[in-house]
Amino acid sequence: MIDWFNVTASGYQELGPKPEELQRSKCVLGFIPVIYYSILLCVGVPVNILTAVALSRLACRTKKALYYYLLAVTGSDILSQLFIIFVGFLLETAVFHRDVPALLLHSVSAAEFAANHASIWATVPLTVDRYVALCHPLLHRQISYPARARRTIAAVLALSLLSGVPFFWWSDMWRNSHPPTGLDAVLIWTHVTIIYFLPCGIFLVLNSLIIRTLRARPRRQRSQEGRGPKSAPPRRLGKTTAMLLAITSVFSVLWAPRTAVVIYHLYVSSVHRDWRVHLAYDLSNMLAMLNTAVNFFLYCFVSKPFRGAVRDVVLLRGGPLHPRHAAPHPEAPTSASVSSLCSGNIKRSQRDSTAGARKPL
C-alpha cells in the first residue's frame, strides 16, 4: 500500500537499491489506505459484535436455522477484519513494514485466506436454506432445524480452514519483482474461483430460481381460482428473501473489481511495475473489505425483529430468550381441583340425605 522498501527477514541487507526497486510502482494513495482501514476496523468490529449478540438472542428465542446462518456470516466477518485488516494491512504493512519472519508472514497469509473463504462461504448455506424454504417448503420443514444448521456451519468453517493451507505459498503481489510463476497462476485462479466465481455462480442460480418461483406462484394461484375454492393471496417477496438478495448482490458488486485486478495482474501487467495496477489493487481491496462491515446496516434496514434485538442490547434490556406461549394460570389447576372436590362433597351429602329420608323409622 505504501512505498516502503521490500524488507523481509532474509538474513542480510543490500547496501543500495536494486534496479528492480528503482522501477517499483509507487503507491499514490499514501497513508489513505491506513486511515481507511483504521476507520473500517473501529466501526466494523463493534457493529459486528453487536450483530452477533443480537442474532444470538434471536436464535435462542426463535430456534430458527436462519439466525444461525447469519450468526456464522457475522463471526466470519469478525475473523476477516482481525486477520486481514488488523494483522495484514495495518500491523504487517503499516507498522512493521513487512519486516517480519518469512514463516510468520506466510502463516498469517494462510489464516487471512481461510478467514476470507469462511466469510464468503458462510453465505452459501443461507442461500440454500432460503431456496429450499421457498421452492420446497415441505422438505424445508424436515431438514431445517438448529442442530443441522450448526453441523453445516461447522463443516463450512472446517473446509474454509483447509482451503487456506495452500495459500501459505501465496506471493506478495505488491513487492515481488519477478513475473508471476506457474505456482502463482495456480494459486490466483484457485483463489478467484473459491472467492468469487463459484459462490457467485451458486448465488446467481439459486436466486434466479427463487425469483422465478415467486413470480410464477401468483399466476398459478390465479389459474386455480376458477377450479376450486378461493386460494390464499399471492405471496410477495419476503423480507428474509430481500435481505438475502441484498447480501449476495452487495458481495458480488464489492468483490468484482478485486477479482478483475488480480487476473489483470497475472496476464497483463504486474502490480510491482505499474503504478496504475497498484492503485487499482489498493482501491479494489478497500472495496472488498467494506463487505465485512455493511451487513449490520442491511439487517437493520430490512428486519424489524433484528432492530428490536439491537435496541434491547444497546439499552441493556434482557429480552425473552424463549418464545412466548400462553401458559395456563398457575392457580387454575388448584381452583379446578377445589371446585371438583366441593362438588363431590355436595353430591355425596345429597346422596346421604336421600338415603336417610328413605330409611324406615
Side-chain angles (χ1 to χ4, degrees):
M1 295 186 299
I2 303 171
D3 187 29
W4 291 306
F5 290 107
N6 185 16
V7 182
T8 57
S10 58
Y12 66 93
Q13 294 182 354
E14 297 292 339
L15 297 178
K18 296 181 180 180
E20 293 84 357
E21 292 176 344
L22 295 176
Q23 299 175 4
R24 189 173 58 196
S25 63
K26 295 182 180 296
C27 179
V28 298
L29 293 178
F31 281 90
I32 293 178
V34 178
I35 299 174
Y36 171 81
Y37 287 124
S38 300
I39 296 175
L40 186 62
L41 189 69
C42 293
V43 174
V45 172
V47 298
N48 277 327
I49 293 176
L50 178 61
T51 303
V53 176
L55 291 175
S56 300
R57 290 195 173 193
L58 291 174
C60 294
R61 184 186 308 169
T62 62
K63 302 299 180 181
K64 290 183 178 180
L66 167 68
Y67 294 113
Y68 289 93
Y69 291 129
L70 294 177
L71 189 60
V73 174
T74 304
S76 301
D77 286 341
I78 295 175
L79 293 178
S80 297
Q81 289 173 340
L82 294 179
F83 281 107
I84 300 176
I85 298 178
F86 178 67
V87 178
F89 287 116
L90 295 180
L91 285 185
E92 287 185 356
T93 303
V95 178
F96 297 115
H97 301 187
R98 299 293 174 117
D99 189 12
V100 295
L103 179 61
L104 177 61
L105 189 66
H106 290 291
S107 300
V108 171
S109 177
E112 290 173 0
F113 279 96
N116 204 355
H117 296 169
S119 177
I120 293 170
W121 278 89
T123 314
V124 174
L126 172 65
T127 309
V128 175
D129 180 79
R130 290 296 89 199
Y131 163 74
V132 177
L134 293 172
C135 301
H136 307 281
L138 296 180
L139 179 63
H140 183 261
R141 295 176 183 177
Q142 300 176 1
I143 66 174
S144 181
Y145 49 89
R148 182 184 290 271
R150 288 192 293 266
R151 290 196 298 266
T152 303
I153 293 168
V156 169
L157 295 180
L159 292 176
S160 300
L161 180 62
L162 292 177
S163 68
V165 174
F167 296 93
F168 178 87
W169 294 273
W170 180 267
S171 62
D172 192 347
M173 297 175 61
W174 275 298
R175 291 168 174 79
N176 279 349
S177 59
H178 60 78
T181 62
L183 178 60
D184 293 335
V186 171
L187 290 177
I188 286 175
W189 274 109
T190 303
H191 170 61
V192 296
T193 301
I194 293 176
I195 211 74
Y196 192 78
F197 291 125
L198 190 56
C200 282
I202 296 174
F203 297 153
L204 179 62
V205 172
L206 294 183
N207 289 339
S208 300
L209 293 175
I210 290 173
I211 294 175
R212 189 181 69 174
T213 301
L214 293 177
R215 286 182 176 179
R217 188 169 296 171
R219 293 194 299 266
R220 192 183 312 116
Q221 290 179 348
R222 284 195 299 266
S223 64
Q224 293 176 353
E225 284 181 355
R227 291 181 290 178
K230 187 176 181 181
S231 58
R235 187 174 182 177
R236 297 178 298 175
L237 182 66
K239 292 185 177 181
T240 304
T241 306
M243 182 170 59
L244 170 65
L245 296 178
I247 293 173
T248 54
S249 300
V250 168
F251 161 75
S252 302
V253 170
L254 293 181
W255 275 89
R258 185 183 184 277
T259 305
V261 172
V262 170
I263 298 176
Y264 187 87
H265 158 83
L266 178 60
Y267 290 107
V268 180
S269 181
S270 172
V271 173
H272 177 85
R273 295 183 181 274
D274 193 340
W275 68 270
R276 291 166 295 187
V277 183
H278 195 151
L279 174 63
Y281 193 52
D282 278 337
L283 294 176
S284 63
N285 278 327
M286 293 165 67
L287 280 178
M289 288 299 100
L290 182 62
N291 185 68
T292 62
V294 298
N295 287 339
F296 169 81
F297 304 100
L298 294 177
Y299 301 160
C300 288
F301 180 74
V302 174
S303 176
K304 183 177 180 181
F306 179 78
R307 292 195 299 269
V310 169
R311 190 182 305 112
D312 292 339
V313 174
V314 172
L315 298 179
L316 301 179
R317 295 188 303 198
L321 296 180
H322 301 284
R324 297 179 179 178
H325 297 291
H329 195 274
E331 296 181 358
T334 306
S335 301
S337 59
V338 171
S339 60
S340 60
L341 180 62
C342 294
S343 60
N345 292 336
I346 293 174
K347 293 180 180 180
R348 190 179 301 109
S349 61
Q350 290 178 352
R351 287 197 303 268
D352 293 343
S353 60
T354 304
R358 294 179 179 176
K359 186 176 181 180
L361 295 175

